[in-house]
Amino acid sequence: MDYPVKTTAQLRPQLQALRKKRGLTQAQLGQALGVTQARIVEIEAAPASVSLQQIMQVLSVLGAGLVIRDDEPPAPGPAPSVRGSRRATGGKRGSW
């Protein structure tokens, strides 16, 4: 399931919800990450002040990941080329 996060303030409840959904206490999550429960409290309270690397580690332990989605519509233009595919070359490999 996707949980869109547009600001760091929205990350706090998402991290807490994921941890609780996995049935983990802050102490258990800290143990899995090799940090103290106090550090998990800090991460959940102020995720904006945590390195991206540590956020990624937390997400990994929670069985989640980070997805970057382009919200902008694609620019108008010609359809992408199918160069080099067997379909476009009648079953033969095309040259690039």
Side-chain angles (χ1 to χ4, degrees):
M1 177 175 280
D2 288 348
Y3 300 94
V5 175
K6 300 268 184 178
T7 68
T8 55
Q10 294 172 313
L11 192 55
R12 179 183 181 191
Q14 298 299 342
L15 290 175
Q16 290 174 337
L18 277 170
R19 175 180 55 78
K20 290 176 181 178
K21 184 177 180 181
R22 303 298 187 256
L24 295 173
T25 65
Q26 290 174 328
Q28 290 168 324
L29 179 57
Q31 186 176 17
L33 289 166
V35 299
T36 64
Q37 177 184 358
R39 181 62 181 148
I40 299 301
V41 170
E42 292 170 357
I43 291 169
E44 288 185 351
S49 65
V50 178
S51 73
L52 180 58
Q53 181 178 350
Q54 193 153 43
I55 293 293
M56 297 301 292
Q57 290 170 335
V58 169
L59 291 173
S60 177
V61 167
L62 294 175
L66 178 67
V67 175
I68 298 175
R69 178 174 294 127
D70 186 357
D71 291 338
E72 295 291 321
S81 172
V82 201
R83 284 182 34 174
S85 77
R86 291 179 179 200
R87 183 174 166 164
T89 61
K92 299 178 186 173
R93 289 215 169 240
S95 62
W96 295 81

